[in-house]
Amino acid sequence: SARFGDPEGFARFVDGAHRAGVSVLIDWVPAHFPTDEHGLAHFDGTALYEHEDPRLGFHPDWNTAIYNFGRREVASFLVNNALFWAERYHVDGLRVDAVASMLYRDYSRKAGEWIPNQEGGRENWEAVDFLRATNKALYGTHQGIVTIAEESTAWPGVTLPAHEGGLGFGFKWSMGFMHDTLRYMARDPVHRRYHHDDITFGLMYAFSENFVLPLSHDEVVHGKGSLLAKMSGDDWQKFANLRAYYGLMWGYPGKKLLFMGQEFAQRREWSEDRSLDWELRDAPAHEGVRTLVRDLNRLYRETPALHARDCEAEAVGWLIVDDRANSVFGWIRRAPGAPDIVV
């Protein structure tokens, strides 16, 4: 929004972040676009960027329009937009929103509300071709850039290179890790022995894709409360559970993602209408969580075994996998030329 300043101001912000050693990723949303008067909808009086038929061109979840990825002009516009952020603003990566809604023609639709593809299936092959073209263009021209798919289904090969039949993303959000582990942490400890698999199951598929472990914005809005509030027990126990949970997550294979406020255990649900509750840092328990996250980040960065081979199965091995009675888990992390780490 222009209310935040002009394009040159954003370019200076990215440049300043890079000088401070901070990478900048942006949320890129090719899955749908608003139907506002000032937008792209019926741009020239016709369905130029979207499909004319609402079964293809209208998104029921967000009341928005869906791009016609099969049109060369539309695909070209979007691929070049992705390149624009990399070339003009030097952003370090794109987190691509709602990829699942692009891959399936029947996403959030009932029978009769969608149109099958030419083979009669639900896959949106035009969107697949577009995503492959975007990733090939970005990775082929910008060394070090990363693309991350927010994709919540079992679509195969999201992070497989495009030339090998994959979608070509660098990483994919692991929704399964987030849901399973948060469900486990919400349980009273006396019941956790019956749900041991909520923690161990994730390593069954942890290397099927290159994963990011997200504790995302979607989990702390719309009545879902804060991360601290999801933990079991009284206030002291909630903090202890959250600290243990962060320890598990930083030792687990996969890149880490916290949402704002989670680094100091925000108590209230997040809202775009107000600032974070920074004053909580005056309380030792909250400042302790922030200090823990700082120390975990430093340990993670300085310890190759914790990050160098996140996506390789042979770099992780269980040491204690079935101690249900005590809810104890132990595993080893390995990296070439570096000490092994036991978590």
Side-chain angles (χ1 to χ4, degrees):
S1 168
R3 289 169 292 189
F4 297 130
D6 58 14
E8 290 76 15
F10 181 65
R12 288 194 299 273
F13 167 78
V14 174
D15 195 43
H18 286 164
R19 283 200 301 272
V22 178
S23 296
V24 178
L25 290 88
I26 61 170
D27 189 29
W28 193 61
V29 190
H32 61 116
F33 63 96
T35 54
D36 303 6
E37 287 294 315
H38 60 265
L40 295 170
H42 283 85
F43 192 69
D44 63 350
T46 70
L48 185 64
Y49 285 95
E50 66 272 51
H51 292 271
E52 188 70 64
D53 193 319
R55 291 175 296 176
L56 293 171
F58 182 74
H59 214 304
D61 283 2
W62 301 300
N63 291 326
T64 49
I66 300 173
Y67 286 108
N68 184 348
F69 300 111
R71 287 195 73 166
R72 281 179 304 181
E73 301 90 337
V74 176
S76 175
F77 164 70
L78 290 169
V79 170
N80 280 294
N81 179 261
L83 289 169
F84 165 80
W85 289 106
E87 289 170 6
R88 298 297 298 274
Y89 290 104
H90 303 153
V91 301
D92 300 281
L94 306 179
R95 176 267 191 189
V96 183
D97 182 65
V99 171
S101 75
M102 301 167 65
L103 295 175
Y104 300 98
R105 289 165 168 256
D106 62 345
Y107 186 89
S108 274
R109 296 178 191 273
K110 301 185 184 75
E113 295 178 349
W114 60 284
I115 300 173
N117 59 32
Q118 283 180 312
E119 300 91 46
R122 54 199 283 257
E123 301 86 359
N124 187 337
W125 296 119
E126 294 84 3
V128 169
D129 289 341
F130 156 68
L131 291 169
R132 284 175 177 155
T134 301
N135 283 317
K136 282 163 78 172
L138 281 168
Y139 280 103
T141 54
H142 291 82
Q143 188 175 6
I145 201 157
V146 63
T147 60
I148 303 165
E150 187 215 7
E151 203 284 306
S152 52
T153 74
W155 186 281
V158 173
T159 58
L160 199 64
H163 64 266
E164 294 181 19
L167 296 183
F169 283 95
F171 291 92
K172 165 180 167 165
W173 275 21
S174 178
M175 302 300 204
F177 170 88
M178 177 172 71
H179 295 313
D180 289 353
T181 57
L182 284 178
R183 186 172 61 227
Y184 180 89
M185 297 306 296
R187 297 187 190 281
D188 188 293
V190 300
H191 298 135
R192 286 179 182 167
R193 67 181 62 190
Y194 307 112
H195 304 279
H196 202 70
D197 299 347
D198 280 346
I199 301 295
T200 59
F201 179 65
L203 277 180
M204 299 287 286
Y205 62 85
F207 310 102
S208 59
E209 300 275 7
N210 303 336
F211 279 122
V212 172
L213 312 178
L215 297 177
S216 81
H217 59 289
D218 285 328
E219 295 307 301
V220 292
V221 292
H222 308 317
K224 293 184 181 178
S226 68
L227 212 56
L228 182 69
K230 295 178 192 296
M231 300 294 123
S232 107
D234 61 24
D235 205 53
W236 185 94
Q237 290 167 326
K238 286 183 189 299
F239 276 100
N241 271 301
L242 187 64
R243 292 193 302 269
Y245 184 46
Y246 284 167
L248 168 105
M249 182 172 164
W250 260 251
Y252 199 92
K255 306 307 176 192
K256 325 304 174 198
L257 177 76
L258 295 185
F259 184 63
M260 59 175 81
Q262 292 173 357
E263 76 278 21
F264 62 84
Q266 167 103 357
R267 285 184 181 273
R268 288 195 293 177
E269 181 172 283
W270 184 78
S271 170
E272 72 274 16
D273 293 330
R274 58 173 184 257
S275 172
L276 294 175
D277 299 328
W278 294 109
E279 67 278 2
L280 291 175
R281 285 188 53 200
D282 295 336
H286 290 278
E287 182 63 4
V289 170
R290 191 195 71 84
T291 307
L292 171 71
V293 170
R294 181 198 67 192
D295 292 346
L296 285 171
N297 280 338
R298 188 173 293 151
L299 180 71
Y300 180 72
R301 189 178 65 214
E302 295 171 356
T303 310
L306 290 178
H307 64 254
R309 299 178 70 193
D310 261 340
C311 308
E312 300 173 41
E314 60 273 17
V316 184
W318 280 112
L319 298 174
I320 306 167
V321 68
D322 52 9
D323 187 2
R324 295 170 178 270
N326 298 301
S327 297
V328 169
F329 308 86
W331 62 92
I332 193 165
R333 300 290 307 271
R334 306 181 183 95
D340 291 350
I341 296 292
V342 171
V343 185

